[in-house]
Amino acid sequence: MISSKLINLYTERLLLKRYFYLTISRFDQNKMPSKNSLVEYEKKRDFKKTHEPKPTYDDKSTNEYRFVVQEHHASILHFDFRLEYNGVMKRSIPKGPSLNPRDKRLAIMVEDHPIPYMNFEGKIPEGEYGAGEVRTWDIGTYELLNDSNIDTGIEQGKLTFILNGKKLKGQFHMIRSRFGSKQRANQWLLMKKKDEFANENFVLERILNYGSRRDLQSSTTTNKKRQRQSTTKSPTRTTKRR
């Protein structure tokens, strides 16, 4: 009885280690938009229900070095930072990017997305993965510094690049987090370098005036209740004459 439980626990730990290894390995290997790199993206979505771009496979290795930051009002409000490199790499930045060099923004690696997703805006329907509104917060191009490429930067645990966006400009660093176990190797930190575009008083302004999808639902419910209360006539008091 006890031995079987120990075997099951050991097996689960091995599977977890394998899962994280595969996640990191898939991200660190070739960046071509192959069928293997977009399998997870396709599995999570029903394209009969969602208007998100379907996976596209192109043998061309062209790269226009574009980036996009998307404001995603899902169950938790977060920002998706994507860099184009023979496909699309996606990182989720929960608090959003910053122009303040003192800020260290956590950037979490998730599954690859097809290049057309960079232009996606709209509402992901209820019941679908990532349900909620998606808006383009910033878009532009980027330049890698030190004559390096993303493959080398990922292997070394550091990427340095210049963003040429409408809001984000100047030099940024993205460094792999050294804190914690190997399971956190998919966590990076995005930081702004001190330059003419740095702003220590930077305040991120959202496009939509609500936070998460839950916040919108609760506020909508509250507004409906108020409307019903305002349209419901209160009983009039009648005074008896003496």
Side-chain angles (χ1 to χ4, degrees):
M1 183 75 174
I2 298 175
S3 60
S4 62
K5 287 184 178 180
L6 289 174
I7 292 172
N8 290 335
L9 181 62
Y10 179 72
T11 305
E12 286 177 3
R13 288 184 177 179
L14 283 178
L15 288 172
L16 283 173
K17 287 182 179 179
R18 182 63 177 168
Y19 168 76
F20 284 108
Y21 171 76
L22 287 173
T23 301
I24 298 163
S25 176
R26 186 190 70 245
F27 178 72
D28 286 354
Q29 290 175 355
N30 67 71
K31 301 300 181 303
M32 291 296 293
S34 64
K35 291 186 178 181
N36 291 333
S37 67
L38 295 175
V39 165
E40 190 174 349
Y41 171 86
E42 189 169 5
K43 277 184 178 180
K44 290 181 176 180
R45 292 161 178 84
D46 184 349
F47 296 103
K48 294 179 181 178
K49 298 178 181 178
T50 179
H51 295 293
E52 296 170 275
K54 295 181 180 179
T56 54
Y57 310 107
D58 192 350
D59 294 333
K60 296 179 181 178
S61 58
T62 57
N63 182 23
E64 298 181 30
Y65 293 94
R66 294 171 292 181
F67 85 91
V68 66
V69 178
Q70 292 174 316
E71 182 178 312
H72 192 173
H73 295 257
S75 57
I76 298 176
L77 170 65
H78 63 276
F79 291 77
D80 296 323
F81 177 52
R82 312 175 195 277
L83 295 175
E84 177 186 2
Y85 184 68
N86 293 339
V88 171
M89 294 189 306
K90 178 193 170 188
R91 279 185 163 77
S92 172
I93 308 178
K95 291 186 177 181
S98 175
L99 290 174
N100 187 346
R102 296 181 180 180
D103 292 337
K104 294 179 176 63
R105 298 303 200 204
L106 176 65
I108 303 172
M109 183 271 293
V110 293
E111 79 275 5
D112 293 339
H113 280 51
I115 290 177
Y117 208 98
M118 301 183 78
N119 298 314
F120 172 71
E121 281 191 304
K123 185 176 182 179
I124 302 173
E126 291 288 337
E128 286 299 294
Y129 179 77
E133 293 281 350
V134 177
R135 291 289 182 272
T136 300
W137 188 84
D138 195 18
I139 193 166
T141 59
Y142 73 95
E143 306 169 39
L144 288 170
L145 297 182
N146 304 325
D147 296 325
S148 62
N149 58 44
I150 287 182
D151 295 310
T152 304
I154 290 171
E155 185 178 349
Q156 297 175 350
K158 182 178 180 180
L159 291 169
T160 302
F161 46 83
I162 295 175
L163 294 181
N164 303 305
K166 297 177 181 179
K167 299 177 181 178
L168 298 178
K169 298 179 183 294
Q171 190 168 330
F172 287 79
H173 298 297
M174 189 174 279
I175 301 173
R176 183 184 288 120
S177 174
R178 301 295 181 185
F179 179 77
S181 63
K182 291 182 180 179
Q183 293 178 356
R184 298 187 180 180
N186 65 335
Q187 296 184 359
W188 292 58
L189 296 174
L190 178 66
M191 296 172 286
K192 179 75 181 76
K193 184 180 179 181
K194 288 186 177 180
D195 57 18
E196 64 269 29
F197 299 106
N199 179 8
E200 294 187 357
N201 298 316
F202 175 80
V203 177
L204 187 146
E205 295 182 359
R206 299 194 303 249
I207 297 174
L208 300 180
N209 61 357
Y210 66 93
S212 67
R213 175 166 46 89
R214 293 172 184 170
D215 295 337
L216 177 63
Q217 289 171 347
S218 61
S219 63
T220 303
T221 304
T222 303
N223 290 333
K224 286 182 179 179
K225 286 182 179 179
R226 288 176 180 173
Q227 289 176 0
R228 284 198 296 266
Q229 289 173 356
S230 63
T231 54
T232 302
K233 294 182 180 180
S234 57
T236 56
R237 293 183 61 184
T238 57
T239 56
K240 294 182 179 180
R241 294 183 180 179
R242 295 182 180 179

